[in-house]
Every structure is written in C-alpha cells, then in structure tokens.
Amino acid sequence: TPIICAADTFRAAAVEQLEVWATRAGVDIVRARGGADPAAVVFDAIASARARQRDVLIVDTAGRLHTRVNLMSELEKIRRVAAREIEGAPHEVLLVLDATVGQNGLAQAREFMAVAGVNGIVLTKLDGTAKGGIAVAIAHDLKLPIRYVGVGEGIEDLVPFALFQPVGEPLPQPADPAVSWVGSETAGNAGINPTRVCTLIGTVIPEASVRRS
C-alpha cells in the first residue's frame, strides 16, 4: 500500500483536498501545517514510510510556473532530500500537464526535465474539448513517455496511457511494473526503505496563454 506525502504547502486547501482523495483511495497521508517547508515534509514522509514498512511513497508538490526561480529551486531541494535519504530517489518524477496548455507545455516540460529530472507525463482534462496534441510534441521532442491520462474527475478516471507510435520510436508500455509509479511489483529492501519514490509536479497555465472567448 502506498503512502502519500502532501508537499503542496503553498496553495490554500491543497492538503485538505488531498486528504479527501487519500481517504477515498484508502491510503495513508503525511501532511504538515500550511506554509511548511515542502522538503521537510518529504523528509518526514520518508521516515514515516520506513516506520510503517511501506514500499511506495507518492509526493504531491505544488503547481508552479517554470519561470519562477524560487519555486523551481524548491523542487531541486525536494529532489536532494529524497536522494539523500534513499538511493536512486526519486525513482519517478511525473509532470502533470493540462491538456489545454498548448505549445507552452513543451517549454514547461523541458525546464522541469532540467531542474527536477522529470521522466514521465500525466496529461489531464482529456474529458473536455482538449485533444492533448501537446502529448505528441513532448513524446517526440523530449522522448518523455505519457504515463497516465485524466479522463474525468472520479477516482477511477486516472488511467494508463495507451501505447501509441508518434513519428520516431514507440513509447514504453505505461503499465509495465518496471516503470509504473504505482506498480505492484517492487524491488529492494521492502520494510526498510520505500523502494519507489514518485514526485508529482503540477504546472500553472500563464494567464496570457488562456484563450478568451
């Protein structure tokens, strides 16, 4: 059973919202007060995962613009803390992109790759009018696989992305336990360290890029 770390301590009610989803999913959550240092929350979550003998830790971070230097530095700190506590962590760094983001998503993904080591994409809001065409550009230009897509607002609406072949080489299977961020098969010292640490990074759509009717 995974454990969730609520490292979005910036946005109002973010922790409370995540607690609701953790309850629905039947998983434990580690949280701190609003305004706490996100890296410190991650440190506590790793210690909690060890104590509870959990082998998967999912870290939820705050959405941010890739142009905000201080917030990007915060991600670097989270990454350093995870790597210091667990060899090879974070094992998965998934960038959550809104399917409506357009070509700005490519620039965001490139910056987050450099700072946070992003190695996969979660594409949301595909249940609306957005076609998610940016997924093709990201997969082709940055060689980043689309791991999951959001097709609704229910707990079952985050689904593995179906394999497709853009121009170039095919993407790896998202459902492969070797690469899945919530794969049921893990390796390592279960009960001593979390064997998989996944960091979720949200993005913010710049106001200027929002199309107005």
Side-chain angles (χ1 to χ4, degrees):
T1 303
I3 189 168
I4 296 175
C5 171
D8 181 354
T9 60
F10 175 75
R11 184 170 59 87
V15 174
E16 289 75 14
Q17 289 176 350
L18 191 60
E19 280 186 313
V20 170
W21 284 105
T23 299
R24 291 175 181 174
V27 298
D28 293 329
I29 184 171
V30 174
R31 58 163 296 175
R33 68 185 187 282
D37 180 3
V41 182
V42 171
F43 178 86
D44 291 343
I46 291 173
S48 179
R50 286 180 175 140
R52 303 183 199 188
Q53 298 188 346
R54 305 299 176 82
D55 56 4
V56 176
L57 173 63
I58 301 174
V59 179
D60 178 52
T61 66
R64 66 201 69 216
L65 284 169
H66 61 290
T67 54
R68 294 287 297 275
V69 176
N70 58 325
L71 295 180
M72 297 299 277
S73 297
E74 183 181 90
L75 282 179
E76 286 185 306
K77 184 178 180 182
I78 291 174
R79 188 182 184 187
R80 289 196 306 270
V81 168
R84 185 184 67 210
E85 295 301 310
I86 302 173
E87 184 178 358
H91 306 92
E92 292 281 345
V93 182
L94 302 181
L95 178 63
V96 182
L97 281 178
D98 190 315
T100 64
V101 72
Q103 290 302 311
N104 188 57
L106 185 59
Q108 288 183 332
R110 185 176 287 111
E111 290 298 321
F112 282 110
M113 279 182 69
V115 171
V118 167
N119 53 20
I121 298 292
V122 177
L123 199 62
T124 64
K125 297 188 180 178
L126 283 177
D127 55 321
T129 57
K131 302 302 182 183
I134 189 61
V136 177
I138 291 173
H140 181 264
D141 292 3
L142 304 181
K143 301 298 187 288
L144 278 179
I146 313 299
R147 299 293 196 207
Y148 291 86
V149 293
V151 294
E153 297 182 357
I155 197 168
E156 302 294 335
D157 292 330
L158 183 65
V159 297
F161 185 64
L163 184 67
F164 78 100
Q165 185 173 353
V167 178
E169 59 190 52
L171 299 179
Q173 279 281 3
D176 183 349
V179 297
S180 176
W181 61 297
V182 289
S184 58
E185 298 180 21
T186 56
N189 299 320
I192 300 176
N193 276 327
T195 56
R196 299 195 69 77
V197 177
C198 170
T199 302
L200 301 179
I201 302 171
T203 60
V204 176
I205 302 176
E207 184 177 354
S209 70
V210 177
R211 182 178 299 174
R212 293 179 170 81
S213 57

